[in-house]
């Protein structure tokens, strides 16, 4: 048997949409929708979750700078907001303000 790449695609369906929340150095909140993430260890505290964020994303810059983030799994009540977080860049707009969210 030889290894064969199946390429980048979602292997689990339905796959939860993860919302990664961050702040920049000035305290401005940002959030992005991430399809690449999941549990990696639950056998001992604390439980661990891995997420994959491209270096080109504002969220990546915030993660590297602040070294803190949140992960949320939105309910179907927040499908519009989750979609918006996935298509708009935090460099261009304040996503929380645009979707009716609040600051700290």
């Amino acid at each position: 048997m030889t290894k064969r790449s199946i390429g980048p695609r979602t292997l689990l369906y339905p796959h939860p949409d993860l919302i990664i929340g961050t702040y920049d150095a000035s305290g401005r909140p940002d959030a992005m929708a991430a399809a690449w993430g999941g549990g990696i260890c639950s056998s001992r505290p604390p439980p661990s979750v891995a997420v994959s964020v491209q270096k080109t994303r504002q969220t990546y810059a915030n993660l590297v700078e602040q070294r803190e983030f949140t992960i949320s799994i939105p309910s179907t009540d927040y499908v519009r907001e989750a979609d918006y977080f996935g298509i708009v860049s935090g460099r261009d707009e304040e996503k929380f303000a645009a979707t009716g969210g609040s600051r700290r």
Side-chain angles (χ1 to χ4, degrees):
M1 181 188 275
T2 61
K3 290 184 180 181
R4 180 175 69 99
S5 174
I6 58 173
R9 61 182 173 167
T10 301
L11 297 174
L12 302 174
Y13 185 82
H15 190 277
D17 191 19
L18 304 176
I19 303 298
I20 302 171
T22 61
Y23 286 91
D24 67 13
S26 66
R28 181 176 169 223
D30 189 31
M32 72 165 278
W36 299 98
I40 58 170
C41 179
S42 61
S43 63
R44 59 189 171 95
S48 299
V49 176
V51 294
S52 181
V53 180
Q54 293 178 333
K55 288 183 178 183
T56 59
R57 305 287 184 225
Q58 179 64 40
T59 297
Y60 182 86
N62 293 348
L63 287 168
V64 170
E65 187 174 90
Q66 299 299 319
R67 303 185 58 84
E68 295 180 333
F69 65 99
T70 61
I71 298 174
S72 302
I73 301 174
S75 69
T76 55
D77 293 340
Y78 294 97
V79 116
R80 286 179 183 235
E81 290 86 350
D83 185 52
Y84 183 80
F85 288 167
I87 60 175
V88 174
S89 172
R91 287 185 181 94
D92 303 327
E93 295 189 38
E94 288 204 26
K95 296 181 190 182
F96 282 99
T99 58
S102 63
R103 294 183 71 110
R104 277 195 232 193

